[in-house]
Amino acid sequence: MRSLRRFLADRAALLGTVLILLLVLAAVLAPVLAPYPSDVFDFHTANRLRPPSDAHWLGTDRMGSDILSRLLFGARITIAIAVIAVGTAVVIGVPIGLVAGFYGGWPGDILMRVSDVFLAVPQIVLAIAIAQTLGPSIENVILALSLTYWPFWARLVYAETRSLKNEVFVESAIALGASPLRVMVMHVLPNIASAIIVRTSIGMGATILTAAALGFLGLGAPSPTPEWGRMIAESREFLPDAWWYATAPGIAIFLVVMGFNLLGDGLRDILDPRIRRGAAGKA
Amino acid sequence: MRRFEIILTRLLWLVPTVVGLVVIVFAIANVVPTDPVRIIAGENANPEQIEALRVKLGYDKPLYVQLLRYFADLLHGEMGTSLYSQRPIIDDLTSRLPATLELTLAAILLAVALGIPLGVVSALRRNSLLDHGLRVVTVSGLAIASFWLAMELQFLFAMKLAIAPLNGRIAGFGPDTVTGLFIVDCLLSWDIESLGSAMRHLALPALTLALPAAATIVRFTRAGVLEVINSSSVLYQSAMGLPRPIIVWKYVLRSALISTVTQIGLIFGVLLSGAVVVEAVFDWPGLGTFAVQSILQSDHKAIMGFTIWAGCMFVLINLAVDVLQTVIDPRSTR
Amino acid sequence: MSTKALVLAAALAAALLPATASAQGKYVHANNSNYDTLDPHAVFDVGRAATRINMYDGLYRWVDNPPKQIPWLAESHEISPDGLTWTFKLRKDVKFHDGTLMTADDVVYSMERILAVKRGVGGLLGPMVAPGNTKALDAGTVQFKLSEPSALFGALVADIAVVNSKLVKRNEKDGDWGQAWLAKNEAGTGSYKLKRYDPAIGFIAERFKDHFYPWGPKYFDEIEFRTVLETNTRILGLIKGDYHGLDGYLTPDAIDRLRAAPGVQVIEEESMRVFQVSFNNQRPPLDDVNLRKALSYAFDYDAIINDIMKGTVIRNPTIIPNNMWGAPKDVKGYTYDLEKAKEYLAKVKQPIRPLAMGTLAGFSDTEQVAAILQNGARKIGVEIKLESAPWGVVSSRTQNDDQMYDIVGYPKSTFYADPNNWLGELFGSRYIPTRNVARYRNPEVDKRIEKAMLATTPQAERQRLNEEAARIVFDDAPGIWVYNTKWFGPYSAKVGGVRFSPIGNGQEMRWAYFK
């Protein structure tokens, strides 16, 4: 209860939550909110590259489609990519970290070395290499991101599990004859959940940025999918005249990523007091 | 002694790490349906020509043979030949390193020049309007998509105000190569015109990379300074009557910067190997642009080469950062 | 031969004019492709043509629009009655950039090299001439023995770029035909001589004073071709005066901007670059002509031509460019007519699954054409899924029967000026699957194309055969033909004398100068 009150008092974290809620709202209500829902597929080429107006609040794109409508539907893709990719990374990374940390020894070493290999390259580089190889599609972007992000969770869980292993309650559970699986799931996992949640929130922002970069490079979903990074890439050749074209999706990405980052910061303050505010985050 | 042991172990771990990286990259490069030989042969080649080329290039061998061969070549410093330029990939990479290095150094310098003073001020005036404002700015700096920032900077400074070039590294061919860093080379040959051109070209990409980096540095400096200020030694010195500016800039900053230095090192590693998208937007003739070009052309060998190269640099720089940290802060030797 | 007379007159004029030509300055060209190799036998695309045509010479040369060949390194040629033996008389005054005289041996070496490295034009010449069938009869005569009496050989001799055989041989490594060396060095006779080269930047070449073809009174002393991938940079650079010329296939929005800019001229020429969409004619359901016709009627040609391309391109009803001989003039072309599309769709008996269409990543024209087709098809109830991939991937998938898309679209450029470049290559069964990615096979078409290809067939007959074949193909709708591109050459207003030819796209700089 106290945590909740503290969270509500943190205006930045609250703002982050609001931003994320807006994203979810946009995604769910896209068909209702969009002024021209059919513009996700439909073109009005006679009407292309029009600046913002009453009819098109955010202007139109190179095929004459309404940018606002496409942006709203794009929110669905953003959410899908971020949630599935991060979710998969968690599902891969957490068990690996848990097992490696719990058993230690050479199996743990090997698992951690494998994750080291993945961490040896900046994530964007590996994601690009994988996405390029598999071919441009949303599924492959998600796969590339999950494959590159799981080591972060594996590392985190590994470190936390190892320090917990020597705690009295874990040792006593083992001594009482609890199976390793039971100890891991019932005793270790709940105690490291908050660290995982914090990492996941921050990871969502980073994932959205990387996914947008992949889309920008043409490795994401093919047109006419209203993926935000792809929309920015398409706008590039029209930039000097059609300033509105790149602006809208860019700001959308910015707000959503900021939402997750603020939320992550706030959650960390509450759930993970060992880490100071401002002492994490990657360039 | 302990320190050398750690360094040595880490260096030894580099070998399996790179081997693992090669295997992973090799595996993903070979799950694709693309036929590299067809691309090398060109669109006018007929099937017999393609088969002949396949045998010649060794693509007819089983995958594990190709992998072993790749390792053998790698040991000799060979990464194969680019599909397009027909030049050794390792040459392409080394010739593009100075451009990336120059951009990275410029961005880091800019980020440090902005980040550390702002971080200190933010900590000293904790919870002031300035502190809150900076917090918003730093959180924003980490949330902006770099390629979008790059485009907006281009739009404003190159297209509308026309005070900076849109992209590229210099107008035409650069100065005579000594170090490969254009700014340094221009100074060495005292070519003022080229120097101006190089600096103007450097401005926007360096700024793009510097903003998120500065945001990180502000956050870490602020946290570091706050921690030291609240520690007993500063209270003690304060009580001894030392003037506040001296305490801040001489005593506090030195100990506060330890974690910041680590961060700068990590940023350096990321930028040096991974400023892929920003380089591409600015057409900066460095490693990142090379990577994007290789991608667009499905040049798998070049992509592998770049990934391995980036991995090695990243690991080495991280190692260097760790070593540096044990030097500055002996406590961290575990 | 009237061209010969012209050449002579030009030579005379040049000789009579006082040598007043002084420093003419440096021409800077911003190009949208990489000059990643200088090897004239390794590349055959328009984007990198500047290296081949400025630093190297072929036996003949394509000039002007519509393109015609003028004698170049060779003065004349004779064809044996059976069309198999081609004998070329070479000029005797041609010097390489290092001063050595060019002889028939150099031509023989160059031809063997083209056939051996199997890249660039080698893919086209390979089936026509076997290695070892090129002979130097004497220092000034070279003879090619063809495997088939192909008329196309005549259209390709301009692309037999002659390299300095002695120089290249000195730089051969492990029998690589000097490939590693020629990738970054130059060994030609061309109008310009390599001065500086950096694959990441481009190249600078200086005028070759001793070039065999007389120089006009005005010329560029140096030419620099720089790779500038970003369209906006090229446009801004031209407007600001950093560049003097750009590649000529810009978007209509860009052309509008350039036209409005002071100090810029946009030279407009009809080109021969047909945007075509190929259906996979062998795989159901597109093996059904009714579905192919339905899609041909479901494509909004106006949306592309008038709205997106803003009228900068011309509707091209068949696969052969309107301005090429052999194009049937009476064919009107399919129109955007959803009613007719539905009529044809109703005749399709088999079930229609979602179709996969490949587009080229980064080429907005292919993406936009695909989007328009996808949109039209959706209106008649056919689903098309777009898959964007780089050219290398698309190209390699088109070569594999299992991986070939259902539909794929890209512009077909001019490699040589013969209807075969479009009609034969895209729909002749001998080109399945290399260039006939539609896998279209029709004996009636083949019969005509094959006969039109023979050197022994008279020209009037070749034209008639091509027209007939194009009409048959039109009725079978194995693809959609959208438009023929216009070339809009953006140059600084100071530049004069640009000589455009669809082969090389106005990048041969020896004719141009600063006014």
Side-chain angles (χ1 to χ4, degrees), chain A residues 12 113 117-122 125 128 130 132-133 213 216 232 236 239-240 243 246 250 254 258 265 277 279 283, chain B residues 13 20-21 24 28 32 135 139-140 143-145 147-148 151 155 160 219-220 267 273 281 295 298 300 306 311 314-315:
Chain A
R113 286 307 139 190
V117 172
F118 280 88
L119 289 172
V121 193
V125 173
I128 286 175
I130 298 175
Q132 194 280 332
T133 313
F216 180 75
I232 296 179
R236 223 176 138 202
L239 187 57
W243 56 267
F254 168 66
M258 188 151 90
D265 268 8
R277 157 161 298 167
Chain B
W13 269 120
L21 192 62
I24 291 173
I28 52 183
V32 252
R135 186 177 170 202
V139 172
S140 315
I144 295 183
F147 55 91
W148 182 71
M151 278 173 60
F155 175 70
K160 289 295 149 187
R219 296 178 69 160
F220 275 86
I267 295 170
S273 48
V281 174
I295 290 162
S298 285
H300 292 300
F306 170 79
F314 195 62
V315 171

Side-chain angles (χ1 to χ4, degrees), chain B:
Chain B
M1 266 311 92
R2 192 95 174 83
R3 191 186 296 160
F4 289 110
E5 231 169 83
I6 293 173
I7 295 172
L8 200 68
T9 325
R10 292 282 298 269
L11 270 178
L12 282 178
W13 269 120
L14 188 62
V15 177
T17 305
V18 171
V19 169
L21 192 62
V22 173
V23 174
I24 291 173
V25 175
F26 195 85
I28 52 183
N30 280 294
V31 297
V32 252
T34 330
D35 182 356
V37 182
R38 239 218 82 72
I39 301 170
I40 305 171
E43 60 178 301
N44 294 309
N46 62 37
E48 297 86 72
Q49 293 172 332
I50 294 172
E51 284 320 303
L53 202 60
R54 188 185 312 284
V55 174
K56 191 180 144 203
L57 297 174
Y59 279 103
D60 57 328
K61 303 275 189 304
L63 271 187
Y64 71 91
V65 176
Q66 291 184 38
L67 177 63
L68 288 178
R69 204 184 257 194
Y70 190 80
F71 271 121
D73 287 348
L74 213 54
L75 284 178
H76 295 103
E78 283 260 348
M79 288 179 159
T81 309
S82 155
L83 294 188
Y84 287 86
S85 63
Q86 290 290 302
R87 277 191 315 276
I89 289 163
I90 191 92
D91 288 2
D92 274 337
L93 291 172
T94 43
S95 71
R96 281 161 178 272
L97 179 63
T100 298
L101 193 62
E102 186 170 36
L103 176 58
T104 304
L105 287 173
I108 298 261
L109 281 179
L110 204 59
V112 167
L114 280 174
I116 290 185
L118 287 178
V120 172
V121 171
S122 179
L124 294 181
R125 310 222 175 128
R126 193 180 180 188
N127 289 332
S128 69
L129 199 63
L130 182 86
D131 185 27
H132 287 305
L134 273 173
R135 186 177 170 202
V136 172
V137 173
T138 53
V139 172
S140 315
L142 291 172
I144 295 183
S146 58
F147 55 91
W148 182 71
L149 177 64
M151 278 173 60
E152 296 296 323
L153 289 176
Q154 283 180 329
F155 175 70
L156 183 63
F157 291 106
M159 293 175 184
K160 289 295 149 187
L161 301 174
I163 51 173
L166 197 57
N167 53 27
R169 194 178 173 202
I170 199 163
F173 286 78
D176 295 329
T177 310
V178 183
T179 60
L181 307 177
F182 280 1
I183 305 268
V184 178
D185 287 352
C186 287
L187 285 172
L188 287 179
S189 57
W190 205 244
D191 184 346
I192 296 301
E193 195 189 328
S194 298
L195 181 67
S197 174
M199 305 239 307
R200 275 196 304 278
H201 281 83
L202 191 55
L204 294 187
L207 191 63
T208 310
L209 294 177
L211 280 181
T216 310
I217 292 175
V218 168
R219 296 178 69 160
F220 275 86
T221 311
R222 179 181 181 276
V225 169
L226 277 181
E227 192 183 9
V228 179
I229 282 181
N230 295 336
S231 73
S232 51
S233 70
V234 169
L235 291 176
Y236 170 75
Q237 279 154 352
S238 198
M240 294 292 287
L242 276 176
R244 196 171 150 82
I246 292 185
I247 297 177
V248 169
W249 294 110
K250 212 172 158 189
Y251 294 99
V252 174
L253 203 54
R254 191 190 286 166
S255 22
L257 282 188
I258 290 169
S259 59
T260 309
V261 167
T262 315
Q263 279 307 309
I264 293 172
L266 293 177
I267 295 170
F268 189 73
V270 169
L271 291 187
L272 201 54
S273 48
V276 177
V277 195
V278 173
E279 277 197 13
V281 174
F282 285 105
D283 235 337
W284 191 259
L287 295 169
T289 306
F290 177 76
V292 172
Q293 296 243 318
S294 315
I295 290 162
L296 288 179
Q297 298 173 326
S298 285
D299 194 341
H300 292 300
K301 273 220 168 127
I303 299 171
M304 283 169 70
F306 170 79
T307 312
I308 291 163
W309 174 274
C312 291
M313 277 203 303
F314 195 62
V315 171
L316 282 176
I317 287 169
N318 281 337
L319 178 60
V321 169
D322 286 357
V323 172
L324 195 67
Q325 192 162 25
T326 60
V327 173
I328 319 176
D329 184 10
R331 278 174 303 165
S332 65
T333 311
R334 279 158 292 169

Side-chain angles (χ1 to χ4, degrees), chain C residues 33 81 144 188 287 342 348 353 411 415 446 467 501:
Chain C
S33 306
F144 301 88
D287 57 345
K342 282 176 192 155
V348 181
R353 58 184 168 79
F415 295 98
D446 281 342
E467 285 176 9
S501 169

Side-chain angles (χ1 to χ4, degrees), chain C residues 248-487:
Chain C
Y249 292 109
L250 296 170
T251 62
D253 307 87
I255 294 163
D256 281 354
R257 253 174 42 236
L258 285 167
R259 281 222 169 100
V264 174
Q265 56 172 331
V266 178
I267 305 174
E268 190 175 330
E269 289 270 359
E270 204 163 338
S271 181
M272 295 183 173
R273 188 166 169 265
V274 178
F275 198 104
Q276 60 84 32
V277 174
S278 286
F279 299 127
N280 188 342
N281 283 252
Q282 277 176 12
R283 187 191 298 151
L286 280 164
D287 57 345
D288 186 333
V289 65
N290 290 309
L291 179 56
R292 300 200 297 264
K293 284 200 172 179
L295 289 176
S296 297
Y297 279 114
F299 186 84
D300 191 348
Y301 301 90
D302 278 349
I304 284 285
I305 292 169
N306 295 334
D307 295 338
I308 289 177
M309 303 305 283
K310 294 185 178 170
T312 57
V313 294
I314 313 150
R315 177 86 175 92
N316 206 85
T318 69
I319 183 58
I320 305 179
N322 299 330
N323 49 339
M324 180 78 227
W325 60 267
K329 299 280 178 269
D330 51 323
V331 175
K332 284 285 169 284
Y334 293 94
T335 51
Y336 181 46
D337 187 337
L338 290 177
E339 288 315 306
K340 269 201 182 140
K342 282 176 192 155
E343 270 172 40
Y344 279 106
L345 190 65
K347 293 185 198 163
V348 181
K349 295 281 170 286
Q350 52 185 315
I352 302 171
R353 58 184 168 79
L355 304 169
M357 176 165 188
T359 67
L360 304 186
F363 289 82
S364 55
D365 51 352
T366 72
E367 290 173 1
Q368 293 176 21
V369 164
I372 293 285
L373 179 60
Q374 181 188 42
N375 194 35
R378 219 165 53 86
K379 287 183 177 150
I380 57 168
V382 176
E383 190 190 342
I384 296 180
K385 286 186 175 150
L386 303 188
E387 293 179 33
S388 180
W391 168 243
V393 176
V394 173
S395 159
S396 90
R397 282 187 60 173
T398 59
Q399 299 308 304
N400 183 312
D401 285 341
D402 299 325
Q403 291 169 6
M404 168 65 186
Y405 306 94
D406 296 310
I407 311 169
V408 63
Y410 48 84
K412 176 78 180 167
S413 297
T414 321
F415 295 98
Y416 51 90
D418 187 287
N420 194 67
N421 182 68
W422 297 271
L423 177 68
E425 293 197 358
L426 284 165
F427 301 116
S429 61
R430 68 148 69 195
Y431 294 104
I432 297 176
T434 49
R435 265 153 287 171
N436 181 350
V437 298
R439 290 151 171 79
Y440 172 79
R441 195 187 291 275
N442 184 334
E444 288 301 308
V445 173
D446 281 342
K447 206 165 71 191
R448 290 171 173 82
I449 292 175
E450 293 293 330
K451 194 161 178 218
M453 240 190 269
L454 297 181
T456 43
T457 312
Q459 174 65 23
E461 174 80 355
R462 296 183 63 204
Q463 173 161 351
R464 188 181 60 77
L465 289 166
N466 271 301
E467 285 176 9
E468 285 176 16
R471 277 196 202 91
I472 303 173
V473 169
F474 178 85
D475 285 332
D476 278 343
I480 298 178
W481 310 289
V482 188
Y483 57 74
N484 185 14
T485 324
K486 269 193 191 168
W487 178 80

Side-chain angles (χ1 to χ4, degrees), chain A residues 90-158:
Chain A
V90 170
V91 168
I92 304 175
V94 170
I96 288 184
L98 210 52
V99 170
F102 190 80
Y103 289 106
W106 64 265
D109 260 0
I110 286 187
L111 282 174
M112 282 306 105
R113 286 307 139 190
V114 171
S115 79
D116 270 0
V117 172
F118 280 88
L119 289 172
V121 193
Q123 267 49 59
I124 178 99
V125 173
L126 203 55
I128 286 175
I130 298 175
Q132 194 280 332
T133 313
L134 299 177
S137 77
I138 293 199
E139 294 80 12
N140 290 339
V141 165
I142 292 173
L143 192 61
L145 292 173
S146 333
L147 281 179
T148 46
Y149 277 112
W150 68 266
F152 285 107
W153 281 271
R155 277 265 143 210
L156 177 79
V157 172
Y158 174 74

Side-chain angles (χ1 to χ4, degrees), chain A residues 150-238:
Chain A
W150 68 266
F152 285 107
W153 281 271
R155 277 265 143 210
L156 177 79
V157 172
Y158 174 74
E160 299 275 329
T161 309
R162 283 196 52 167
S163 64
L164 274 183
K165 224 188 122 179
N166 302 321
E167 296 279 332
V168 179
F169 70 95
V170 174
E171 281 181 344
S172 55
I174 296 172
L176 287 171
S179 74
L181 184 70
R182 192 182 159 81
V183 175
M184 277 190 268
V185 175
M186 300 300 288
H187 299 275
V188 178
L189 203 53
N191 280 289
I192 59 175
S194 55
I196 297 175
I197 291 171
V198 171
R199 186 74 194 80
T200 303
S201 174
I202 306 265
M204 294 284 271
T207 308
I208 290 171
L209 279 182
T210 312
L214 293 180
F216 180 75
L217 292 174
L219 298 171
S223 66
T225 321
E227 197 269 317
W228 293 348
R230 186 183 178 86
M231 285 169 78
I232 296 179
E234 283 173 0
S235 77
R236 223 176 138 202
E237 62 175 294
F238 308 103

